[in-house]
Amino acid sequence: QVQLVESGGGLVQAGGSLRLSCAASGTFFRINAMAWYRQAPGKQRDLVAVVTSGGSTDYADSVKGRFTISRDNAKNTVYLQMNSLKPEDTGVYYCNLKTYGSIYGDGGYWGQGTQVTVSS
């Protein structure tokens, strides 16, 4: 059993900050990467940020310079620090534990999602 629990979502004003957390528990033998995805209302789910097992990171163009993904390997936890938030950042943010496949794929396990709403 593998479970991902997300937290940290909420309502903030434009220009504000939030930090999302995702803690993974259970049995898994490897982690290719951990990532955050976002699904805005009426839109598809898109990759926001990813951190590989080797520590490399990558971001969607829309969040570069504003968001930072980080990890605590000892706790199997990944974070997403979101600064300078914009209304278009609004959506449900999902944590993805990638146990196989490409770091840009969606293989592995998923959290339940946490709502982020940015008001103008």
Side-chain angles (χ1 to χ4, degrees):
Q1 180 182 348
V2 175
Q3 184 177 8
L4 276 62
V5 179
E6 297 137 322
S7 62
L11 173 65
V12 298
Q13 294 183 350
S17 298
L18 285 174
R19 190 180 75 155
L20 306 183
S21 299
C22 173
S25 62
T27 301
F28 43 88
F29 297 100
R30 69 174 183 174
I31 301 174
N32 288 357
M34 299 187 75
W36 288 96
Y37 289 75
R38 178 174 67 203
Q39 186 168 25
K43 300 180 67 176
Q44 67 180 9
R45 184 184 64 193
D46 293 320
L47 179 68
V48 174
V50 59
V51 57
T52 71
S53 59
S56 299
T57 60
D58 199 12
Y59 300 89
D61 289 342
S62 61
V63 307
K64 286 181 178 177
R66 300 187 297 118
F67 290 12
T68 302
I69 189 170
S70 61
R71 63 182 183 178
D72 185 333
N73 290 334
K75 298 179 180 179
N76 289 324
T77 300
V78 64
Y79 305 92
L80 186 67
Q81 179 67 47
M82 304 184 294
N83 298 325
S84 301
L85 283 163
K86 304 175 181 179
E88 52 263 43
D89 294 320
T90 293
V92 179
Y93 285 71
Y94 295 92
C95 178
N96 174 225
L97 174 66
K98 302 179 183 293
T99 56
Y100 64 91
S102 170
I103 64 171
Y104 300 108
D106 58 0
Y109 301 91
W110 292 87
Q112 80 287 349
T114 185
Q115 177 70 44
V116 172
T117 303
V118 184
S119 65
S120 60

